[in-house]
Amino acid sequence: MRFIPTRVHGVIDYLWGVLFASSPWLFGYGRGGAETWVAVAFGAGAILYSLLTDYEVGVFRVLSMRAHLVLDVLGGAVLAASPWLFGFADLVRAPHLGFGLFSVVAGLITETVPRKHAPARTTEGGTLVHPDRERRDLHP
């Protein structure tokens, strides 16, 4: 069942990215190895693809919400397994496992279409006007 609105998911995306990217220093496990750089890369990556997602808090809106959620689920699974994949499970595993599982669950329970996605309309001159995008001519 998908019940998390895309707007809420989007806000969480940015918070998740900043918190996870800074988690090596917040939680005291940042030693400059894979444990640190996996967190920084996944956090920064989440912020980047959130900026590119076609939802209420996206900036460039080139990535569909469905594709975003697939990235959340697949990336979360890799992140949850990363302590064992990259060999730092003996040093730290809880943040990577927790953030990864959170990402998987969030990707599975978030709606795939923004609730208040305003429909496009056409002007008299045949120009398609979408409230979130630039004008596009319908006639070649």
Side-chain angles (χ1 to χ4, degrees):
M1 174 176 11
R2 294 184 179 272
F3 57 89
I4 302 292
T6 56
R7 180 182 304 274
V8 171
H9 183 101
V11 171
I12 292 170
D13 280 337
Y14 292 109
L15 293 173
W16 185 99
V18 169
L19 184 59
F20 191 52
S22 60
S23 70
W25 299 278
L26 291 173
F27 301 134
Y29 68 86
R31 297 184 183 179
E35 76 289 339
T36 303
W37 293 109
V38 166
V40 171
F42 273 79
I47 292 169
L48 177 63
Y49 74 82
S50 295
L51 289 168
L52 297 173
T53 299
D54 186 14
Y55 61 171
E56 297 90 341
V57 296
V59 176
F60 300 105
R61 300 182 181 197
V62 295
L63 183 68
S64 74
M65 189 64 201
R66 287 185 187 272
H68 175 108
L69 295 174
V70 167
L71 286 173
D72 281 350
V73 171
L74 295 178
V78 171
L79 179 57
S82 68
W84 297 273
L85 291 174
F86 299 109
F88 57 85
D90 57 331
L91 175 64
V92 63
R93 60 179 163 248
H96 299 77
L97 183 61
F99 276 88
L101 293 176
F102 180 89
S103 183
V104 169
V105 171
L108 295 174
I109 65 173
T110 298
E111 296 172 347
T112 58
V113 177
R115 288 184 178 180
K116 296 187 184 209
H117 216 303
R121 60 185 170 80
T122 306
T123 65
E124 285 181 34
T127 302
L128 180 65
V129 180
H130 191 285
D132 296 335
R133 294 183 176 83
E134 62 189 70
R135 292 173 166 251
R136 294 185 207 137
D137 247 27
L138 290 178
H139 306 292

